[in-house]
Every structure is written in C-alpha cells, then in structure tokens.
Amino acid sequence: MDHLPHFRREILAFETAARKAAEAETAPIVPSCPEWSMSDLIGHLGWVHRFVAHIITERLQEPPQALDPELLDLPEDLRGWQGPGQEPTRGPVPPSLIEWFGSGAFALESAFRKTGHDERVWTWSPDRTTGFWLRMQTIEAAVHRWDAEGAVGTAQPIDADLAADAVVQSITVMAPYRRAVKQAPPGSGERFRFRQSDGMGDWTAGFHGDDVRLAEGGEPGDVELTGTASDLMLFLWKRIPPERLEVRGEREALDRYFTLVPAV
C-alpha cells in the first residue's frame, strides 16, 4: 500500500476539523478521548509529527531524548496553548496552534517523500525502518482525524483499504507492543476472528504465550467479530464498543481480549 496519499488526506481532514473547532468559544472536548479538548489533541499530534520527523531527518539509531524546544519550532505567541496540568485545555483553540500543526505535518510529509522507506532508523518496534513510521503515522492520523471530526460533528469512516491495513497492523504490531508494555498475562490459545463486511478481509489473531499470531483467510475463532473495515479498526483502537459489531462466540473470551490487548 502507498500510505503517503492516505497520510496527506487524513492530515488535511484533521486540519479542517481543527479550524472548525477554532470557531467555538471554547475548545470542544473530544468524545473518544474525553481527557482531551481539541487543543490538546492538536498539540499531541503536532508534537508526534515533529518527534518522528526528527528521527527520520537525523537518521537516529537510538531513542531520542526529550525534544529540545528549538526542534519543536514553537511560535512566539503561545497564548491559549496547553500548560502543565491543564488537560483538558479550555478556552478557544489558538490559531497559532493550528498553523504550527500544519507546518509540522508538512515537514513530516516532506521527510517521508525525501527518504527511502527502507532507511534504517530507530523505532519502538522490531521493524527499524522509515516505512514503519510512515505506516504508523498514517494510521494514527486516521484515528485522530476520526477523533477530531467526532468533536466538531459527525466522524466519517476510515477508508476501507487503509482500515484493513490497520487491522493487520493492530494484530501484528500493536498487540505485541501493548502486551509487553502492560505486562499482560500469557495467552492460552485464545483466537479472535475479524471478518470485514465491506470487503474480503478475514483475519484471525491467536494468543499463545507471549506470541500473537496472525492467520489470514478465515480460521475459526473463540469469538468472531464482523463489521466494516473502519469499524473493526476503530474497535481495535478502542474507539467504538463491540456492540457496534456483530459478535458471535464466547463473550467471556472477548472480555479477556481487552486484558490481553490493553490500549496505550
């Protein structure tokens, strides 16, 4: 999959939602992330973009230290920006925050375009390439665009092809990472099947000890969940409840799934 067009589309849609949020007297709360207002969400994604762009442009091989304020390229006018202990940040969304976000997103897109996707850089996964960051940031942009649109109106579904890719990424990348971070208990053979109702996607995730194994093509599961690719992706990212999907099988096993794959 060519992730760059998806990245650009999702970023532009996110910025549109941010500008709509700025029309309100106070920054809207993000329903899917209620500890954040739109100002917090914009600041979070803008910081992540600069963090990743720094890794790519400098070809870092080790995890970077906290970013130097100069690397964040903060504007002089920080009125209304998030301060320590102020989440969720209220008051109107600062226009300077949106402009800062846009310039950081453009810089990251430019870094992706100028750098081969197989360039070796530090990541938090076994895949130590710039291609990992492009895929990860495209998916994160889509999730947060959905968050942002939900804060200012009706969130539009994730593109089906991108969402299907994100389902695979959730099983093969995010699940092992989250298990390690949260020190989840060993799996005992639980199997969860995800069936795409608007496409051919059919994936089974099996939990065996510390391993998470992906099988594509329809192996049966203790629990089977059917929905659009967008809804399956959003469920795996804990944005929507299982009630939005068709669920068959042992509901108790589904509850254990949330223990095995906690949200970051």
Side-chain angles (χ1 to χ4, degrees):
M1 168 181 283
D2 183 0
H3 288 89
L4 265 173
H6 292 282
F7 178 81
R8 181 169 183 77
R9 182 190 66 248
E10 296 293 349
I11 288 301
L12 290 175
F14 180 94
E15 189 169 348
T16 296
R19 294 192 182 282
K20 186 174 182 179
E23 298 172 0
E25 293 184 359
T26 61
I29 294 296
V30 182
S32 48
C33 305
E35 70 278 12
W36 282 351
S37 72
M38 274 296 292
S39 292
D40 301 315
L41 181 60
I42 297 165
H44 162 75
L45 195 53
W47 182 90
V48 170
H49 287 166
R50 283 166 169 75
F51 178 81
V52 175
H54 177 57
I55 292 170
I56 293 173
T57 57
E58 298 298 324
R59 305 293 196 276
L60 298 184
Q61 303 301 314
E62 299 294 335
Q65 300 298 316
L67 284 179
D68 186 302
E70 291 186 5
L71 295 177
L72 291 177
D73 192 27
L74 297 174
E76 292 184 5
D77 183 4
L78 297 178
R79 285 177 297 175
W81 283 48
Q82 174 184 331
Q86 291 184 2
E87 295 180 359
T89 305
R90 302 314 300 267
V93 175
S96 61
L97 179 64
I98 300 175
E99 298 304 321
W100 174 82
F101 167 82
S103 64
F106 176 78
L108 180 56
E109 181 184 355
S110 297
F112 284 140
R113 292 188 183 280
K114 294 175 182 177
T115 308
H117 296 170
D118 58 353
E119 289 282 346
R120 184 172 176 80
V121 295
W122 176 83
T123 75
W124 47 259
S125 85
D127 180 0
R128 298 297 180 91
T129 68
T130 52
F132 166 84
W133 283 120
L134 173 57
R135 184 189 193 194
M136 186 70 218
Q137 288 310 299
T138 301
I139 293 171
E140 184 166 0
V143 170
H144 288 323
R145 183 272 299 165
W146 187 89
D147 291 331
E149 288 183 344
V152 298
T154 301
Q156 296 302 306
I158 311 297
D159 174 87
D161 289 339
L162 177 59
D165 181 64
V167 170
V168 174
Q169 189 259 11
S170 295
I171 295 170
T172 60
V173 177
M174 296 303 296
Y177 172 75
R178 289 168 173 164
R179 285 173 55 80
V181 169
K182 298 293 185 179
Q183 298 181 331
S188 55
E190 296 92 341
R191 286 151 52 100
F192 302 89
R193 185 179 182 181
F194 301 89
R195 304 177 67 178
Q196 180 185 356
S197 61
D198 59 343
M200 301 299 292
D202 196 342
W203 310 274
T204 300
F207 294 83
H208 306 272
D210 292 332
D211 294 334
V212 182
R213 303 172 189 171
L214 170 67
E216 299 194 49
E219 290 191 6
D222 302 298
V223 180
E224 297 190 359
L225 303 97
T226 302
T228 65
S230 178
D231 280 352
L232 291 173
M233 169 192 177
L234 292 168
F235 167 75
L236 287 166
W237 279 80
K238 295 204 171 182
R239 279 347 195 242
I240 64 172
E243 286 74 21
R244 288 274 296 273
L245 306 169
E246 178 185 335
V247 181
R248 297 180 180 177
E250 303 175 15
R251 184 56 186 261
E252 294 80 7
L254 181 60
D255 293 336
R256 290 198 300 274
Y257 166 81
F258 282 102
T259 300
L260 292 171
V261 191
V264 292

